[in-house]
Amino acid sequence: MKNSTITYIGMIVFHAGLGLLLFILPVFAKFYGLLALAASFFIIIKNKNRNQEVLIASAYLVSIEVLLRMHNGVFFNEQGKYGVMIFMFLGMYYRGFSKNSLVYCFFILLLLPGVVIATSSLSLDVNIRKAIAFNISGPACLAISAIYCYRREISFDKLNQIVVALSMPLVALLAYLFLYTPSIKEVVSGTNTNLET
């Protein structure tokens, strides 16, 4: 119990330091985004998803994406969604999936008519590939995650680990916003200060 408390406090301190580092050196966000993606990928492959590392890594990646987008730290807009899909495919490769979850493949097939309609109705000045990737990546990520998670039992301790992984980037975001937000006394001087606050 004491060991897990020290680890938890260490993660909070690390992520608060990450928020401070991103405040001082915003360009570090691109490096950290790649580092988080690569480290998660390595941990999943090393452990062969024995302890549901896919769910923890996916939760962390989704949560850290908010902070990375604030600093232009993602290399392309759908980086988090594609990362989660890759993690879910790795999880299915190592631990399989329920045959009954294939109903979600039908959901993916139902997205295809939307792609056909979108390509015919988009104007010529729109990049069709980007428009389709933007609109389809979210539902596709949801369907692949549903295929992986269908009838997969998760213990309360594992759920706790997932929630911790989801909340640690929020600690970094909180530290960053604490440093970034101006003093209210300096800003509030009239009714036209909403942009600064």
Side-chain angles (χ1 to χ4, degrees):
M1 182 72 171
K2 188 175 181 180
N3 227 2
S4 65
T5 304
I6 292 171
T7 306
Y8 181 73
I9 292 171
M11 287 190 301
I12 289 175
V13 169
F14 171 78
H15 282 89
L18 176 64
L20 174 68
L21 182 64
L22 290 177
F23 177 74
I24 295 169
L25 192 64
V27 73
F28 182 72
K30 282 213 185 275
F31 173 73
Y32 189 75
L34 281 178
L35 180 68
L37 195 62
S40 299
F41 191 75
F42 176 74
I43 289 169
I44 293 168
I45 290 176
K46 180 183 167 233
N47 295 332
K48 296 185 172 149
N49 197 33
R50 277 186 221 104
N51 299 316
Q52 304 290 349
E53 290 89 1
V54 165
L55 296 174
I56 296 170
S58 296
Y60 188 81
L61 189 63
V62 165
S63 188
I64 198 70
E65 187 177 12
V66 174
L67 186 62
L68 295 177
R69 281 180 183 255
M70 287 173 58
H71 293 88
N72 199 17
V74 291
F75 287 94
F76 51 94
N77 283 337
E78 311 307 321
Q79 179 176 324
K81 294 174 192 166
Y82 291 139
V84 168
M85 285 191 273
I86 290 169
F87 293 163
M88 294 296 165
F89 280 129
L90 277 173
M92 285 186 261
Y93 174 74
Y94 286 121
R95 293 288 158 207
F97 58 93
S98 172
K99 302 289 185 242
N100 295 333
S101 67
L102 292 178
V103 69
Y104 294 106
C105 290
F106 181 67
F107 171 72
I108 294 173
L109 290 175
L110 289 176
L111 296 174
L112 294 178
V115 172
V116 174
I117 292 170
T119 55
S120 64
S121 64
L122 288 173
S123 62
L124 294 175
D125 60 333
V126 174
N127 186 340
I128 293 175
R129 183 190 60 79
K130 284 184 179 180
I132 291 172
F134 174 75
N135 290 312
I136 295 296
S137 61
C141 181
L142 181 66
I144 292 167
S145 298
I147 291 170
Y148 174 78
C149 292
Y150 187 78
R151 296 250 170 127
R152 191 170 301 272
E153 292 184 13
I154 300 171
S155 67
F156 183 75
D157 290 336
K158 188 56 62 181
L159 183 62
N160 189 25
Q161 290 175 359
I162 294 167
V163 171
V164 167
L166 192 65
S167 62
M168 283 302 134
L170 299 178
V171 171
L173 183 64
L174 180 68
Y176 174 79
L177 289 177
F178 180 77
L179 296 168
Y180 184 79
T181 305
S183 171
I184 297 298
K185 287 181 182 178
E186 295 172 9
V187 176
V188 177
S189 59
T191 59
N192 58 349
T193 58
N194 290 338
L195 179 63
E196 293 177 18
T197 56

